[in-house]
Structure formats: C-alpha cells, structure tokens
Amino acid sequence: MATLTAKAPVEPDKSGAYLHDRSRIPEAPPASRGQLLLRHAGIIAGVALSLALTALMVQTRATWETHRDWVTAAALVPMVLAGVTLAYLYTRNKSESAALGTLCFVVAGVIITFNILRGYDTEGQDNLRDAMSIITAVFLALGVLFSVIGYFMTEIKDPTRAPDPQM
C-alpha cells in the first residue's frame, strides 16, 4: 500500500506484477521500407550531400596545376558539415535558409564543369582554368559559410523541439 503522508507518495512493495509484465504490452507493428526511409531521410540526405560536396571539392583540387595535397584533407570536414546542415534544413522544410548555400554550391558545380571541359582542350599552363579553380574554391567556401549561417539562423528563430507526447 502507498504511503501518502510522505513528501512524495511511496509504495515500497509493488502491488501487482502487471506493472513490469512485458508480455501484456503489444509489439510495435513492423515498419515498411518507405517508413524506414522516411524516418532516416535526414541522415540519408546528409550523407548523400556530403559525398557530393566532397566530390566537388576533390574535383576542384584536381584542376590545380600545383600540388597542394593538404587542401583535400583540410576541406573535407567543412564539406561534410555543409552537407549535413543543408540536409537538415531541407528535411525541416527550411529551404529559404538553405537557398544561399545551395546556390553557391550549384554555381561552383557549374564552374568546375566548365573547368573540366576546358581541361580537355588545353595543355599546360592556362590562366582561365586557374581563375575558374580559384572562383570555384571561393564559391565552395561561401557555400559552407552560408549553409552554417542558415542553420544557426533557423535554430535561433525556430529551434527544433521534441514532438508532443502521444497520449
């Protein structure tokens, strides 16, 4: 029996084994593939965007004539960070916060495509290819910056909240 005179009700001896009997709780219905994909859409999108941005960064590095092998390792973490923040913003339907970062990455992708195509036509030193590589690197850096700023602005204005309990 519960002691109701204490500050908090205390029941030292549980009356009834039903409280901890797991056999009376029904099993959750199995989740379909679609439900699992929807549940993990943010993680899947984050990994996909991070891989795409990393590939864009590696391709930009490949267009340089001089060897700067540290660039790939140094830029890997910001590209992954930008991919995860963009995926987070898009899965929260905050595309207006992700738009500027996405635009910078799209522009960088277009410029690097022209850079690669120009590389098929030229050999040796090419100032236009160097300029395109520099512009691509600038747009990649701006894309990371705007993605992270968009994330923080979204969290400041409309922070993520836990869902309401289902009762």
Side-chain angles (χ1 to χ4, degrees), residues 60-91:
T60 302
R61 161 59 188 96
T63 61
W64 294 346
E65 289 296 321
T66 59
H67 294 289
R68 292 183 181 102
D69 294 328
W70 60 269
V71 172
T72 306
L76 182 65
V77 173
M79 290 300 128
V80 171
L81 178 66
V84 170
T85 56
L86 285 177
Y88 170 79
L89 290 171
Y90 281 119
T91 53

Side-chain angles (χ1 to χ4, degrees), residues 12-88:
D13 298 320
K14 302 293 182 199
S15 57
Y18 65 90
L19 288 174
H20 303 289
D21 184 13
R22 303 293 273 166
S23 64
R24 69 179 189 86
I25 301 172
E27 290 291 324
S32 67
R33 286 188 188 142
Q35 289 171 331
L36 287 175
L37 284 175
L38 189 61
R39 184 181 307 157
H40 300 294
I43 294 170
I44 294 168
V47 169
L49 279 171
S50 296
L51 288 173
L53 294 177
T54 302
L56 185 64
M57 179 264 310
V58 168
Q59 195 59 45
T60 302
R61 161 59 188 96
T63 61
W64 294 346
E65 289 296 321
T66 59
H67 294 289
R68 292 183 181 102
D69 294 328
W70 60 269
V71 172
T72 306
L76 182 65
V77 173
M79 290 300 128
V80 171
L81 178 66
V84 170
T85 56
L86 285 177
Y88 170 79

Side-chain angles (χ1 to χ4, degrees), residues 2 5 12 28 42 49 59 66 72 74 79 82 87 90 93-94 108 114-115 118-119 127 132 142 157 159:
T5 57
L49 279 171
Q59 195 59 45
T66 59
T72 306
M79 290 300 128
Y90 281 119
N93 294 324
K94 301 291 184 184
F114 284 122
N115 196 344
R118 173 104 176 144
N127 290 336
M132 285 192 281
L142 287 174
K157 290 179 184 176

